[in-house]
Amino acid sequence: MFIDIHVHSRKNPIMWKGKYYYISPENLIERYEKLGIEKGVLLPGVSPECSIQPGSTHEMLEIYKMYPDRFIPFCNVDPRAVENSPLSPIDELLYIYKELGCKGIGEVTANLPFTNPLFLNFFKCVEKVGFSLTFHISPQLGNFYGIYDEPGLPGLEYCLNRFPDLIFIGHSQPFWAEIAELEKPYDRYGYPDYPVKKEGVVPKLMRKYKNLYGDLSAGSGYNALARDLNYAVDFLNEFQDRLLFGTDICAPETPTPLVDLLLKLKEEKKINETVFNKIARENAIKLLKLEG
């Protein structure tokens, strides 16, 4: 029923403060069986800003080889990699990962501005290789992980325009908070609960740039819809070809409220079967060139 565009797993999760920070692939498959998820996109974590237990591209490929019917591997590379230079040939590394079976890149989390020369080189290389790119936005530089952008996402827009053949898959609180016009800038740090009184920059950018997709995973994607269900229905219908179901499961107990929300909207006939199926699985199949 579902293909998960965004999940994290480790072969041997470590205990952190009395709980497992990541879920094992075996336990993840058990959760998938209960949720009706066919397979998931494994996202490595390589940037030092974001991961207690880094997960390499090679580990994701190992998990994929263990369970090829349940997982899809993405690669990940930090924009400072290879030579820490705006001329680094990162595309050469990406081509290797593509040959090994990776279908995209992400979750990109290095805490540098979108328009930093290292990121501009990075995006150029990803576009050249033909990967789609899942990114996490940070609301500030320092003490956060994610690509930094200001309110209104001007850095993202600059890159959408500069790299028209690169599919950017948007994710995180600062991205999804801007489904509506922000009442105050600090709202982008969390989960605004006020309704969409006036459209924000995200739907405007999605109309203007066909290379912007939406990753509906995590609390941020769920909150973008749940905060105003009337607007959510319009949003899901309008952008039905570029929205992707996801969970962002990391730990064994990570909640997955998007599953119930989408099923509820379908059962209440607020979105039809065609829209539901596109968002649940078909857009992922098309984007990642998977077999149906």
Side-chain angles (χ1 to χ4, degrees):
M1 184 185 300
F2 293 102
I3 292 177
D4 185 354
I5 200 67
H6 189 134
V7 73
H8 304 278
S9 180
R10 299 291 183 272
K11 287 176 64 179
N12 298 294
I14 60 172
M15 184 75 77
W16 176 257
K17 294 184 178 180
K19 64 179 183 179
Y20 286 106
Y21 193 74
Y22 286 103
I23 189 170
S24 70
E26 293 77 18
N27 288 340
L28 180 55
I29 290 171
E30 290 179 6
R31 289 205 64 186
Y32 275 3
E33 288 293 323
K34 295 176 182 177
L35 294 168
I37 298 175
E38 304 165 42
K39 54 183 67 178
V41 173
L42 292 168
L43 302 181
V46 299
S47 294
E49 293 92 337
C50 75
S51 188
I52 291 171
Q53 184 185 0
S56 70
T57 297
H58 294 281
E59 183 178 358
M60 300 307 109
L61 286 166
E62 288 174 5
I63 295 173
Y64 161 66
K65 289 176 183 176
M66 293 166 60
Y67 305 103
D69 295 332
R70 302 310 298 259
F71 297 116
I72 302 154
F74 267 32
C75 64
N76 209 344
V77 178
D78 191 284
R80 295 162 287 204
V82 185
E83 297 171 353
N84 195 27
S85 161
L87 300 176
S88 293
I90 291 175
D91 55 303
E92 295 179 8
L93 181 55
L94 297 180
Y95 276 122
I96 293 172
Y97 287 143
K98 191 171 187 178
E99 288 183 5
L100 290 172
C102 292
K103 295 292 188 179
I105 187 165
E107 173 182 4
V108 177
T109 60
N111 191 222
L112 302 168
F114 268 101
T115 55
N116 183 287
L118 293 174
F119 258 131
L120 297 181
N121 175 65
F122 179 80
F123 295 144
K124 179 185 70 175
C125 291
V126 176
E127 183 181 49
K128 179 179 178 181
V129 173
F131 279 152
S132 57
L133 183 152
T134 299
F135 63 88
H136 185 114
I137 291 181
S138 169
Q140 67 183 49
L141 287 170
N143 298 314
F144 267 82
Y145 68 94
I147 310 176
Y148 171 68
D149 208 352
E150 299 173 2
L153 308 181
L156 172 59
E157 179 166 18
Y158 175 84
C159 293
L160 287 167
N161 184 64
R162 181 161 176 173
F163 305 102
D165 295 322
L166 172 56
I167 301 297
F168 288 86
I169 306 175
H171 166 73
S172 76
Q173 296 98 314
F175 178 80
W176 282 118
E178 297 215 41
I179 196 171
E181 189 174 86
L182 298 172
E183 291 188 358
K184 51 186 182 300
Y186 193 77
D187 290 341
R188 65 203 296 265
Y189 282 74
Y191 306 96
D193 59 2
Y194 48 84
V196 181
K197 300 172 186 175
K198 190 174 181 180
E199 279 192 332
V201 71
V202 165
K204 294 175 183 177
L205 289 177
M206 290 188 74
R207 287 190 194 105
K208 188 174 181 180
Y209 300 98
K210 302 305 181 186
N211 56 328
L212 178 60
Y213 282 55
D215 168 353
L216 291 168
S217 70
S220 56
Y222 168 76
N223 186 73
L225 302 178
R227 62 187 285 188
D228 188 333
L229 289 178
N230 289 328
Y231 180 77
V233 169
D234 292 338
F235 183 79
L236 293 170
N237 281 309
E238 180 175 358
F239 300 110
Q240 60 184 271
D241 295 313
R242 284 183 284 138
L243 294 173
L244 301 152
F245 167 83
T247 66
D248 202 1
I249 291 174
C250 291
E253 67 277 7
T254 300
T256 57
L258 184 64
V259 172
D260 291 336
L261 178 61
L262 289 176
L263 288 171
K264 180 175 182 286
L265 291 175
K266 182 184 72 166
E267 289 165 4
E268 294 177 351
K269 301 190 184 305
K270 293 181 178 177
I271 58 173
N272 61 34
E273 288 277 350
T274 298
V275 172
F276 176 86
N277 288 333
K278 285 181 180 180
I279 295 168
R281 66 188 300 275
E282 291 172 5
N283 291 341
I285 291 172
K286 183 177 180 181
L287 178 64
L288 303 181
K289 299 178 174 61
L290 307 175
E291 294 182 4

